[in-house]
Amino acid sequence: MTTPPTPAPEQTGPVPPATPRTARSWLRDHSELGVGALLLALGVLVLTDALTMDVDITQRGPVGPKTVPVVVGIGLLLVATLLAVDVLRGGRGQAEAGEDVDLGEPADWRTVLLLSGVFLGSAVLIEPLGFPAAGALLFWGAAYTLGSRRVDRDPVIAAVLSLAAYALFDKLLGVPLPGGPLMGVL
């Protein structure tokens, strides 16, 4: 025994209009495409730079100075393409479960500006003062900006870190760094 199909209920009242999707809301929903565009631009830049690199004619062998930049550039283009395809198919980045950020609070621009100032100041002071002194000011300024107020301990730690970095790069790895007035002492 079969029952006759029931007719669909009639709608009463006005039908709500479909909300039009604006370009702004589409871009907000697909914001990961911005990361893909950045990766694409970096990949093109790296590949262009690598392929226009002058290589000495005496260099022999399959692996030369162009190999790693070409591989990195191709990798960047591949990741940019895969990310764009995933986002356009509806993929979304998952929020980190352990993230302790209150998105309702405004950004702490004071800290960002102070850290930027400390970084730029150390970049300007690296030539006249040398890397050890400018690095120590960078480490100490960053620690102070991020909230550490231990004036008895922080300058000592900053100096030790800076001298260790100078010794590692200048002495062990052979990367010349400006020593400044401490050049004769170190």
Side-chain angles (χ1 to χ4, degrees), residues 28-48:
R28 186 178 301 123
D29 290 342
H30 297 88
S31 62
E32 291 93 347
L33 289 175
V35 175
L38 178 66
L39 291 175
L40 179 73
L42 282 174
V44 168
L45 178 69
V46 169
L47 274 178
T48 303

Side-chain angles (χ1 to χ4, degrees), residues 42-43 45-51 53 64-76:
L42 282 174
L45 178 69
V46 169
L47 274 178
T48 303
D49 196 31
L51 295 176
M53 182 186 305
K66 288 184 176 184
T67 305
V68 172
V70 167
V71 169
V72 168
I74 291 171
L76 284 168

Side-chain angles (χ1 to χ4, degrees), residues 5-106:
T6 58
E10 291 186 35
Q11 288 228 337
T12 58
V15 176
T19 57
R21 292 195 52 117
T22 63
R24 187 176 201 158
S25 68
W26 187 87
L27 286 174
R28 186 178 301 123
D29 290 342
H30 297 88
S31 62
E32 291 93 347
L33 289 175
V35 175
L38 178 66
L39 291 175
L40 179 73
L42 282 174
V44 168
L45 178 69
V46 169
L47 274 178
T48 303
D49 196 31
L51 295 176
T52 59
M53 182 186 305
D54 288 332
V55 178
D56 189 9
I57 194 69
T58 61
Q59 187 243 335
R60 302 271 186 233
V63 178
K66 288 184 176 184
T67 305
V68 172
V70 167
V71 169
V72 168
I74 291 171
L76 284 168
L77 292 178
L78 180 67
V79 168
T81 304
L82 292 174
L83 178 63
V85 167
D86 181 53
V87 169
L88 292 175
R89 286 184 175 177
R92 300 276 311 184
Q94 295 294 322
E96 187 177 335
E99 190 67 36
D100 191 21
V101 175
D102 185 6
L103 297 177
E105 290 293 317

Side-chain angles (χ1 to χ4, degrees), residues 107-126:
D108 186 8
W109 288 108
R110 179 182 178 274
T111 302
V112 171
L113 292 174
L114 283 173
L115 278 174
S116 299
V118 166
F119 180 75
L120 291 174
S122 69
V124 168
L125 293 173
I126 201 166

